[in-house]
Amino acid sequence: MKILKLSLIFLATLVVVVGALWLTMGGTSGTASPAQNDLYDRLSKEIPAQWQNMTPWSREAYDNTRTDLNQKKDAELLTIDQCSLLEDLLRNNAINRLFLLAKEEFAKADCRPDIVRAYNNEAKRLNAERADKERLQKLCNIYTLYSNISNFVRRPLTFTPRFDGERWTSLNTHRDNALRQAQAYRSNALYTEYLSHIDGFAEGLTDATVRNKVEKGRARYYAALSNRIIEHFESINSPTSDDADKLKSIYNAFRREYPQGSSALFSFYRKFQSEADSEHNAY
């Protein structure tokens, strides 16, 4: 009898504990109800259908659907697992559509910068989530390459010389760097697959185009360099023979690079040499 009484007390206690846990967890079980399953099945079909032909891609539609799913979860119309699965379904279908629309725009010869920029921004936002990062990163890489090439083929390829008192960068070095950059763009697999047909890209990346752009600015480049050299040596109050020798070396290097020379630099060079000689003779 005593054993039976203890057993009954244990069972009663167990029922109370289980009941308390059930209430604490919101009174729901881990098994979805038929109504929850019906709603889940319906949404599983509606979400892919919604995104199949979504044009243009809509951040508002994406955010609204996510909000709606979470509201249904909070109202216990969906289980936590069902909501998570539907969010993954939404995200994957949204990415599929975004990637397809971006590829279609990049495939146009007159690809619009504003549209692909918007797609790139959405890819970055989605990439911050638990998502298909490989395709999203690829889309961002295509856009980055597109932007870089667009800037490269549209700018005039002019350069500003810098002179540190002894040396400068030859315009030929700038030209060779630009040629290497154009070659790198042409060799990029993403360029070959997605961007080579865009208006202005193929022509703008040829060696001939790059060389012509650089050569158009050659006279301006060396005229500016001449001014930099003159400004530097003009700042020397009492030029010495060492200063004169340095300027002579610089002047000869300048003429080797730019045989046309600079009348301003030549005149200054002659004057500077004369002043240095006078200073030397004074001692």
Side-chain angles (χ1 to χ4, degrees), residues 203-217:
E203 175 61 25
L205 293 177
T206 63
D207 286 351
T209 297
V210 172
R211 288 179 184 276
N212 288 338
K213 281 186 173 183
V214 174
E215 287 305 315
K216 285 180 180 179

Side-chain angles (χ1 to χ4, degrees), residues 35-56:
Q36 288 173 323
N37 286 332
D38 288 344
L39 178 59
Y40 173 79
D41 290 340
R42 178 169 64 81
L43 292 174
S44 296
K45 297 174 183 177
E46 289 180 355
I47 290 174
Q50 177 191 23
W51 286 92
Q52 184 175 4
N53 298 307
M54 178 73 73
T55 304

